[in-house]
Amino acid sequence: NSPMVENPLEIENGSVFPRFPEDYSLIPNTNSVNLTNIQETYAGRHVVYTVTPASQSGKMGITVPSNPLFISGLPVIDGLALHLDASMLTRESNTVNNVSGHSYVQQWLDISGNNNHAIQNTSSRQPELLNFKTGYMVVSDMTYETYANYLRFDGSKGLTINHDSSINLDSFTVFLVARSESTDTGKPIVSKMTDTRGWQLGWTNSNQLGFQIKGYSTTDTVSAEPGVALDNEWHILTATTDLSLKIDNLPQIDVARSAGNITNTKAITIGFDGSNYSTIDVAEVIIYNGTLSTDDAFKVNMYLKEKYDPDSQDVYIYALKPITDSAVIGEPYTLPSIVRAYMTNGTMMDVPVTWSEN
């Protein structure tokens, strides 16, 4: 699930956003003092602390939960330089602006620890924050829909990451989770390119994605086959400056690198480069210093695969659980928009319903 918000819409409560305490499980024999290591099984979930004040007389106060802390499921691998994860954003984030029912991202926080945040201070250029259903998850005999966030770059939006030595790299591995069906030529997705040096992940030809590096008079390009990953479905792109490109589980494409040093002082841009804007949805951007080993690259790809395209079976409603309630004659009564249902996988699930006037 996406990070918890303070006041979700009823239809989102328990589906798009987790509920407290219903969607949380107790970590036994643990408190804020001895919780120094998070188990791998908790990756992709939230941690909430509760505090109950007590007096010396034994009188107990009201238990208050903390704000939720999201635990990234990204494998721990040395050299992480940048990690932008749209799952860390909600419409209630102080870096998100809400206008007429839409949420626009002013700052996409880097959670690598390097503070390489992606920023857009011009409101008309801010990408919209949206989400999509990724599948189902079963927890304690309950089925939950799982969702992931993404940013929409519609051909006029873009974010900028200021130049910093931690991301000014001659050797690196970049992972991108994105979808598009654009067939434009020369459009950037993520770029750090000057006239003489740099790199760009995006469209290398019409209807063709690829990765390009430039070192003065030499430009190297590695491209996918035409049309690959341009079907408006979510795909994982992995590129290295060695020079290689891999899309999902397709065979890796390798090209010999001949370009010299590609470092430069230009900012990294997402969704645009100068006045050149792209039409694409982006969910996650990860950059590591150096070329990752085959094993480490596989671990990151599996993390992204499980997050955005999990192998979860289709689940359907078998029957709605009967509900009982009481109403006072003469007073207004609102029927619930969420009811509990028996599902075909033997679990239960809270599902949205609509009621006819009859």
Side-chain angles (χ1 to χ4, degrees), residues 141-182:
D141 298 324
M142 284 291 295
T143 293
Y144 299 93
E145 293 179 334
T146 55
Y147 287 77
N149 289 348
Y150 66 93
L151 275 62
R152 169 153 291 172
F153 298 85
D154 63 1
S156 65
K157 315 296 185 185
L159 295 169
T160 298
I161 305 171
N162 291 331
H163 168 75
D164 186 84
S165 59
S166 63
I167 48 175
N168 188 27
L169 306 171
D170 182 60
S171 174
F172 62 86
T173 305
V174 56
F175 299 87
L176 174 76
V177 180
R179 70 175 177 185
S180 181
E181 56 183 353
S182 174

Side-chain angles (χ1 to χ4, degrees), residues 202-221:
W203 284 259
T204 52
N205 288 296
S206 177
N207 198 34
Q208 198 167 15
L209 293 174
F211 184 58
Q212 185 176 81
I213 62 174
K214 180 189 295 184
Y216 291 103
S217 59
T218 303
T219 300
D220 295 328
T221 303

